[in-house]
Amino acid sequence: MNFNLTDEQKSFQELAQNFAANELTPFAAKWDSTHFFPKDVVKKAGELGFCSLYVPIEAGGMGLSRLDASLVFEALSYGCTSTTAYLTIHNMATWMIASFSDAKLVSQWCPSLVTGEKLASYCLTEPNAGSDAANLRTSAIKKDNSYVLNGSKMFISGAGDTDVLVVMARTGCPGAKGISCFLVPANLEGISYGRREEKMGWNSQATRTITFENVKIPLSYLIGQEGDGFKIAMKGLDGGRINIASCSLGTAQAAIDQAQQYLLQREQFGKPIAEFQALQFKLADMVTELIASRQMVRLAAFKLDQKNSDARTFCAMAKRFATDAGFSVCNDALQLFGGYGYIREYPMERFVRDSRVHQILEGTNEIMRVIIARRLLMEGATEVIR
């Protein structure tokens, strides 16, 4: 078992670190305070392949492994958690289109999506179907040569600023088997967008409700087959959980680095506060939590790449552990800064705000526990951890 990164992985990581240092870190605070979505920077990221990391090469993507993508997302989120989180969503939506659509749809849309020229949003969550996604009510009724889409989606990242919507809608019976997946151009007649939500964090990307009123979409814009939507959504979310956990890793690393420098520079009682053993212990615990989280995320990514039967369980475990630990690390780092951590002159409060939502998205951490517990009860703890 080799835990060392390959030279190629180190190159990807370094490229992302340089991009974060030059294009994200210097502007993240301003984007947060002004609620600005940096489309131009996202397009620059696309030019480097960051908008299509694990999209198949045949569709114009980089074709990287989920482990490789995790390394990149961790490095990017060190610079701006919120913008990187949007990039993970765009990657997931583009991957769905590239992996499950027919060749004509792929050739029509993927060339502009993989470069970031066009941007995508993922539309699953509804007012009455959050964690219970199989209960969604948005409908797509086949009529003549079109599907007619009606319903609403909420908490949609990038909504109003993106060009393509990947929408889950009901085409058949109740439950998971009646859900299908569609590519919907974001400017079609009958689509309306709600106000931009005032959020605690993730302020460099808009979050809005989307309403569909008799929106006509071509039959050819069905992704996969009718009834495949829930399967596509769950496959996407396995990787999405690794992605969001990776964002927690990068944010936690940035918080630790800032805290370490502060402990060395800040003096109280005639000496640097880094010399106080209680603070040394706290920093040691924070680093230990981060390293444990990082190894769990990379293990889950590896299992997903290998298509292991227990990959979904490990993705849930990694997401639960890393996002909880990441928020805890950021919160502890803020505490080490004392009062300074609470003011916006320093990035600590932004790290806390941006990392908190990771415990909720891609399935709440309570739902992650359900996924893990079900497998434990079916197969036993020994089988799960082997």
Side-chain angles (χ1 to χ4, degrees), residues 47 69 120 132 145 147 149 234 304 340 348 364:
E47 292 170 358
D132 185 14
N145 294 319
Y147 285 99
L149 194 62
M234 293 303 103
L304 191 58
Y340 289 113
M348 312 315 295
T364 65

Side-chain angles (χ1 to χ4, degrees), residues 21 58 110 121 153 157 203 217 239 264 286 360 373 377:
E58 297 77 15
C110 283
S121 290
K153 299 291 182 179
S157 294
N203 288 321
I217 52 177
L264 292 170
M286 291 159 63
I360 301 169
L377 292 170

